[in-house]
Amino acid sequence: QKEVEQDPGPLSVPEGAIVSLNCTYSNSAFQYFMWYRQYSRKGPELLMYTYSSGNKEDGRFTAQVDKSSKYISLFIRDSQPSDSATYLCAMKENYGQNFVFGPGTRLSVLP
Amino acid sequence: SQTIHQWPATLVQPVGSPLSLECTVEGTSNPNLYWYRQAAGRGLQLLFYSVGIGQISSEVPQNLSASRPQDRQFILSSKKLLLSDSGFYLCAWSGLAGEVISYNEQFFGPGTRLTVL
C-alpha cells in the first residue's frame, strides 16, 4: 500500500461545477496537510495548508482534513477553466524534514 | 518576499554527459532545501534534502549527487547521465517566510526540464 493515494483522473467537469479532490493516507503520524496546484510544465504552487483535523477556506477553495479516517479533501466552488491543472496533496509528520506527495489528480474544467 | 530560482529552465543532454542544475533562494535564511524529480504523469520523487551548508541527505541511490556550498544555494549534479535521468527537476524550500518560521510548508521553484538523448 502506498503511503498516500490519490485518484490520478483525469477528471473533467463543466465550468461552474463544484470539484471534489481527495487523498487517503496510511501514516497516522501525519499532522500537516497541503494542496498544490501544478500547471503543465510549471512548478507546484501551494494552495492550501492545514494543521491536524478541520476545515480551512480561502476564496473558492476549501480544504478538509479527517484524521480519524485518514482522508483529506479539496473542494473548488464555481470552477473555472483556469483551474484546469494537476492537483497534488502532500503531508508531513510533526518532526522530520520530509514531505510525502500523492501522485496528483489531473483536472479539466470545460468552458 | 521569498523567491526561488532554478536554471536552466530546459536542458537537452546526451547520455554520458555531466549535469549541473542550480537552485537559489532569496528572502530567507537557513532554509531546508530539497531536490525532487517528477517523471511524466507521475508524482514527486524526493532525491535529496539539506538542512544546512554541507549537510545532504540522499533518499534514492543513483548516479546523482547534491551539494550545498552556500546557505541558499543547492546544486544537483551527475558525472554521467543515463536515459532514465530524464524528467522534470524541482527544487523546493521550507523555513523562514517573512516573520513566520514554518518548516511544515514547502515552496517550489519553476523547475528544469531535462531530456537525456
Side-chain angles (χ1 to χ4, degrees), chain A residues 11 18-22 71 73-76:
Chain A
L11 176 63
I18 296 175
V19 176
S20 173
L21 303 168
N22 311 294
Y71 187 88
S73 300
L74 177 70
F75 297 97
I76 307 174

Side-chain angles (χ1 to χ4, degrees), chain A residues 34 91-92 97-101, chain B residues 34 36 103-104 106:
Chain A
M34 288 136 277
M91 308 176 187
K92 184 181 178 295
Q97 317 303 328
N98 288 358
F99 295 75
V100 181
F101 286 81
Chain B
Y34 303 79
Y36 292 89
Y103 289 96
N104 300 310
Q106 196 171 58

Side-chain angles (χ1 to χ4, degrees), chain A residues 32 36 38 41 92 97, chain B residues 32 34 38 104 106 113:
Chain A
Y32 298 92
Y36 289 85
Q38 185 176 23
R41 298 179 173 267
K92 184 181 178 295
Q97 317 303 328
Chain B
N32 287 350
Y34 303 79
Q38 187 176 39
N104 300 310
Q106 196 171 58
R113 187 159 302 279

